Amino acid sequence: MSAEKNVIVVGTGGIGTVVAYGIDFAQKSNLSIVVRRDYQKVKDVGYDIDSCDYGSVKGWKPQNIFPTVAAAAASGTVYDYVVITTKNLPDIIKVEELVEPIVTVGYTSVVLIQNGFDLCRPFFSKYPENVVISGITYCGSHNNSGNVHHTQTDKCYLGSGNNPHLPRDIQEAKTEEFVALYSNGKNNPIYITNEREYRYRKIIYNATLNTSCALTGVDTGRIELAGGLDTIVLPAMREVVAIAKADGIELPNDAINTALHLDDGEWFEPSMLVDVKKGNPIELEAILGNLLRVSKELEVDAPVLKFLYDLLKVVQYRLREKQGLFSLPKERPLSEKFYN
Amino acid sequence: MSAEKNVIVVGTGGIGTVVAYGIDFAQKSNLSIVVRRDYQKVKDVGYDIDSCDYGSVKGWKPQNIFPTVAAAAASGTVYDYVVITTKNLPDIIKVEELVEPIVTVGYTSVVLIQNGFDLCRPFFSKYPENVVISGITYCGSHNNSGNVHHTQTDKCYLGSGNNPHLPRDIQEAKTEEFVALYSNGKNNPIYITNEREYRYRKIIYNATLNTSCALTGVDTGRIELAGGLDTIVLPAMREVVAIAKADGIELPNDAINTALHLDDGEWFEPSMLVDVKKGNPIELEAILGNLLRVSKELEVDAPVLKFLYDLLKVVQYRLREKQGLFSLPKERPLSEKFYN
């Protein structure tokens, strides 16, 4: 382990801040962060973090704070690890393009600690000579303008995304090295060699329960009481199990039951529902879009997932309009299309 | 035609008020109305109606105004026609029970001018000796606390629901009589002998486009631009056509195209979307619930309609909770169910 390793974290929401703090706390690398929205505040007074792992942290500032990726690149630092903890919204901004200025071709390892499925693929296309590490996190944390409330321990499974253009041993070594840089005795980064399986274990919840709650506007407790688990979520979960199977991954027998009891005792609002309620875009493509592309490649029918996707695509259109990403004419344009 | 006929209209929203005014304007019957919410105001100052059919009407009051169905019954009047223009929400209140005090068994004809499909069935069970007339209206009107804005002409197709326990000719005669009582030279009630077909022609829009917009939160223009017509609405409409066919009704070749171009040029918000946005319960059972029951009886697969129904059932649960129709404990109850 060497203190010369340069790590940069892009995306400092609830999870990103905890990841960055954990790496800094480990004191095994030079840490930089990119802070877009709260840059001036963080530069001035740092973060206050109320953490289940680290206790009460006041005014934390990493060594280097940049307002943009471009500024982080202009510093001249060559980054060993670019850790991406932004929301994954490829229909709005592609992360592989966002980080281009700080990725050194053939050198930098990219670490994707994000929701979704099959996230490494666009990086393998754009950076065939770079290692990509995939992080499946179960951390729970919210960042309210520099005040971070960290409620669920930073447990993160990290595995190589398996770049088909690179030898496997190099990728595994980089993954192990990153896990070591990240580990600090208080958090729980775990090195894994079966990234795909861990993605499936998380997507079985996110592609089904998260999406159904977002669409119907209820938490995971209410969807159960309203009968939606049996009619919608369960059939969707069975499709995820079938896709995993065709992908060579036999999920545990109780995978569905475990996912459906994950929020027992809580009126829990999953991330996509929270986004819809706030009027924020949803991680639809990263979660359902990518899963459906894989199901198609594997020739597994997934009509329920497809239908959830089609409906949420309309919701995403509404959210994108609300965000001002496009605007519509006052008069509705006429369509000449003949439908039958 | 006789001035002795007693007609009562239950439900004085936008449509109900226009229907009641039209019957009163015809001057061929004694009209009563049941006004729940705005009773005192209507009793005091009547309705102001700004109407595309009748011009500007100030302070209109029918002969008899009752605050409840019970009061209308207590008046001692025997009603020839009970016209129901409430929203049809059998999961909240059953209209066949609501009007029981004013329906004289074996005498009163019930007229259902409501959204939905196969609406007469519960009346045939509860009142096997009564005629039920079904009205498919294309009237457009809003009632804002006694100020009625009537924008689309009162065009209403009226046909016998065909009570299997009664001779057909009696039912047709009653339907014709009601159309005559209702017609006034300015509105357009139309006597039909194929009620079921007209229900299908309207449900092809309401079961598909209306429901999809309610679920995704967009108007019929935006759902088109977002790609939802091809992925969701069109497959759902094809299922309605298939159900109609199995029911012995061949819809016109261009039925789907007509329905999909109905709101051309308008960013139109259909009724169910308006209800969801206002937090009001939706006419889910009357529209999709009844249609799916018929599809099951006819053994026609309708997976898209079923899925829309299952999702909207969860939405309805949320809307019912919001209306205060039930409340949930602070702590989410634990479920012991094993899912797989």
Side-chain angles (χ1 to χ4, degrees):
Chain A
M1 215 53 51
S2 143
E4 287 89 48
K5 296 288 176 189
N6 293 310
V7 178
I8 184 164
V9 175
V10 179
T12 48
I15 306 296
T17 312
V18 168
V19 170
Y21 184 78
I23 293 168
D24 200 39
F25 192 82
Q27 291 198 287
K28 298 172 198 162
S29 59
N30 302 312
L31 178 69
S32 303
I33 64 173
V34 176
V35 186
R36 199 171 43 89
R37 209 182 39 194
D38 304 316
Y39 173 72
Q40 200 53 54
K41 184 173 175 192
V42 170
K43 192 84 185 159
D44 292 344
V45 300
Y47 287 99
D48 288 346
I49 308 176
D50 172 24
S51 167
C52 57
D53 289 342
Y54 307 107
S56 178
V57 177
K58 294 283 175 198
W60 170 66
K61 291 184 200 178
Q63 283 165 264
N64 308 294
I65 306 171
F66 299 108
T68 59
V69 169
S75 74
T77 307
V78 175
Y79 297 100
D80 296 275
Y81 292 94
V82 168
V83 183
I84 306 177
T85 49
T86 60
K87 283 179 71 172
N88 196 309
L89 300 165
D91 47 344
I92 293 173
I93 185 165
K94 296 192 191 310
V95 279
E96 67 276 17
E97 291 172 8
L98 172 73
V99 297
E100 194 168 6
I102 49 175
V103 171
T104 304
V105 169
Y107 181 79
T108 304
S109 298
V110 173
V111 185
L112 300 170
I113 302 181
Q114 300 184 295
N115 265 332
F117 182 77
D118 199 27
L119 298 178
C120 305
R121 194 189 292 219
F123 283 87
F124 297 155
S125 302
K126 194 172 169 69
Y127 309 103
E129 299 167 55
N130 289 59
V131 171
V132 184
I133 299 164
S134 174
I136 299 99
T137 183
Y138 287 83
C139 177
S141 174
H142 289 273
N143 177 359
N144 185 15
S145 304
N147 294 299
V148 179
H149 195 56
H150 175 203
T151 51
Q152 280 181 288
T153 189
D154 182 10
K155 183 174 186 176
C156 186
Y157 297 93
L158 292 144
S160 162
N162 294 330
N163 184 339
H165 315 295
L166 290 180
R168 177 128 192 184
D169 58 347
I170 293 174
Q171 303 181 64
E172 296 299 333
K174 286 287 179 192
T175 306
E176 286 190 272
E177 183 181 70
F178 179 73
V179 169
L181 290 175
Y182 184 4
S183 296
N184 59 36
K186 305 226 175 204
N187 61 2
N188 194 14
I190 299 156
Y191 167 66
I192 55 170
T193 53
N194 51 348
E195 180 264 345
R196 191 78 156 184
E197 182 176 335
Y198 278 84
R199 284 284 169 196
Y200 273 114
R201 284 185 190 202
K202 194 161 179 189
I203 207 87
I204 200 174
Y205 177 102
N206 274 333
T208 61
L209 199 48
N210 198 349
T211 52
S212 303
C213 288
L215 202 47
T216 56
V218 298
D219 57 52
T220 56
R222 282 172 172 81
I223 204 169
E224 178 189 29
L225 295 175
L229 294 192
D230 288 303
T231 56
I232 308 156
V233 182
L234 198 51
M237 285 187 170
R238 292 195 188 115
E239 292 180 358
V240 178
V241 170
I243 298 167
K245 193 169 183 179
D247 207 357
I249 291 164
E250 200 79 43
L251 289 172
N253 273 335
D254 64 348
I256 285 177
N257 191 58
T258 302
L260 283 175
H261 283 287
L262 207 64
D263 308 326
D264 268 6
E266 268 189 280
W267 301 113
F268 183 75
E269 299 199 335
S271 62
M272 229 184 242
L273 171 62
V274 172
D275 282 330
V276 169
K277 284 177 122 179
K278 285 188 180 168
N280 290 333
I282 51 177
E283 291 180 303
L284 177 64
E285 295 302 329
I287 293 173
L288 270 178
N290 286 354
L291 182 63
L292 284 167
R293 201 190 47 221
V294 168
S295 82
K296 208 170 170 184
E297 289 168 359
L298 298 170
E299 294 175 357
V300 179
D301 265 354
V304 177
L305 294 170
K306 175 69 168 61
F307 199 60
L308 287 167
Y309 173 79
D310 290 335
L311 286 163
L312 284 169
K313 218 174 155 179
V314 179
V315 173
Q316 181 82 320
Y317 184 90
R318 166 165 68 81
L319 296 168
R320 289 173 64 235
E321 184 186 9
K322 200 169 172 177
Q323 291 273 315
L325 293 171
F326 65 90
S327 63
L328 294 173
K330 197 157 180 273
E331 198 102 327
R332 176 179 170 192
L334 283 179
S335 148
E336 297 292 322
K337 188 163 170 184
F338 184 84
Y339 292 96
N340 70 345
Chain B
M1 215 55 50
S2 143
E4 289 88 49
K5 296 287 176 192
N6 293 311
V7 179
I8 184 164
V9 175
V10 180
T12 47
I15 306 296
T17 313
V18 169
V19 169
Y21 184 80
I23 292 167
D24 200 40
F25 191 84
Q27 293 198 287
K28 299 171 196 162
S29 58
N30 302 313
L31 178 69
S32 303
I33 64 173
V34 176
V35 185
R36 198 172 44 89
R37 208 181 41 195
D38 304 315
Y39 173 72
Q40 201 51 54
K41 183 172 174 192
V42 170
K43 191 86 187 159
D44 291 346
V45 300
Y47 287 99
D48 288 347
I49 308 175
D50 172 23
S51 166
C52 58
D53 288 343
Y54 307 107
S56 177
V57 177
K58 295 283 175 198
W60 171 66
K61 292 183 201 180
Q63 283 165 266
N64 308 295
I65 306 173
F66 298 108
T68 58
V69 170
S75 74
T77 306
V78 174
Y79 297 99
D80 295 274
Y81 292 94
V82 169
V83 183
I84 306 178
T85 50
T86 60
K87 281 178 75 171
N88 196 310
L89 300 166
D91 46 345
I92 293 173
I93 185 166
K94 297 192 190 311
V95 279
E96 68 275 18
E97 292 171 9
L98 171 74
V99 297
E100 194 168 8
I102 49 175
V103 171
T104 304
V105 168
Y107 180 79
T108 303
S109 298
V110 173
V111 185
L112 300 170
I113 302 181
Q114 300 184 296
N115 264 333
F117 183 77
D118 198 28
L119 299 178
C120 304
R121 194 188 294 217
F123 283 87
F124 296 156
S125 302
K126 193 171 170 68
Y127 309 104
E129 299 168 55
N130 289 60
V131 171
V132 185
I133 299 164
S134 174
I136 299 101
T137 183
Y138 287 83
C139 178
S141 175
H142 290 272
N143 177 0
N144 185 15
S145 304
N147 293 299
V148 180
H149 195 57
H150 175 204
T151 51
Q152 279 180 288
T153 187
D154 182 9
K155 184 173 185 176
C156 185
Y157 297 93
L158 293 143
S160 162
N162 294 329
N163 184 340
H165 316 293
L166 291 179
R168 178 129 192 183
D169 58 346
I170 292 174
Q171 303 181 63
E172 295 301 332
K174 286 287 179 191
T175 306
E176 286 191 272
E177 182 181 70
F178 179 73
V179 169
L181 291 176
Y182 184 4
S183 297
N184 59 36
K186 305 226 174 205
N187 62 2
N188 194 12
I190 300 156
Y191 167 66
I192 55 171
T193 53
N194 50 349
E195 181 264 345
R196 191 79 156 183
E197 182 176 336
Y198 278 85
R199 284 283 170 198
Y200 274 114
R201 284 186 189 202
K202 194 162 179 188
I203 206 89
I204 200 173
Y205 178 102
N206 275 334
T208 61
L209 199 48
N210 198 351
T211 52
S212 304
C213 288
L215 202 47
T216 55
V218 298
D219 57 52
T220 56
R222 282 172 171 81
I223 204 169
E224 179 190 28
L225 295 176
L229 294 192
D230 288 303
T231 56
I232 308 156
V233 182
L234 198 50
M237 284 186 170
R238 291 195 188 115
E239 292 179 0
V240 178
V241 171
I243 298 166
K245 193 169 181 179
D247 206 358
I249 290 163
E250 199 80 42
L251 289 173
N253 274 334
D254 64 347
I256 286 178
N257 191 58
T258 302
L260 283 175
H261 283 286
L262 208 64
D263 307 326
D264 268 6
E266 267 190 280
W267 301 112
F268 184 75
E269 298 199 337
S271 63
M272 229 184 241
L273 171 63
V274 172
D275 282 331
V276 170
K277 285 177 120 179
K278 283 188 180 168
N280 290 334
I282 50 177
E283 291 178 303
L284 177 64
E285 295 302 328
I287 292 174
L288 270 178
N290 287 355
L291 182 63
L292 283 168
R293 198 188 52 221
V294 168
S295 82
K296 207 170 171 185
E297 289 168 0
L298 298 169
E299 294 176 357
V300 178
D301 265 354
V304 177
L305 295 170
K306 175 70 167 58
F307 199 60
L308 287 168
Y309 173 78
D310 290 335
L311 286 164
L312 284 168
K313 218 174 156 180
V314 179
V315 172
Q316 182 81 322
Y317 184 89
R318 167 165 66 82
L319 296 168
R320 289 174 62 236
E321 184 187 9
K322 199 169 173 178
Q323 292 272 315
L325 294 171
F326 65 90
S327 63
L328 294 173
K330 198 161 179 271
E331 199 102 327
R332 177 180 169 190
L334 283 178
S335 147
E336 297 293 321
K337 187 164 171 184
F338 184 84
Y339 292 96
N340 69 346

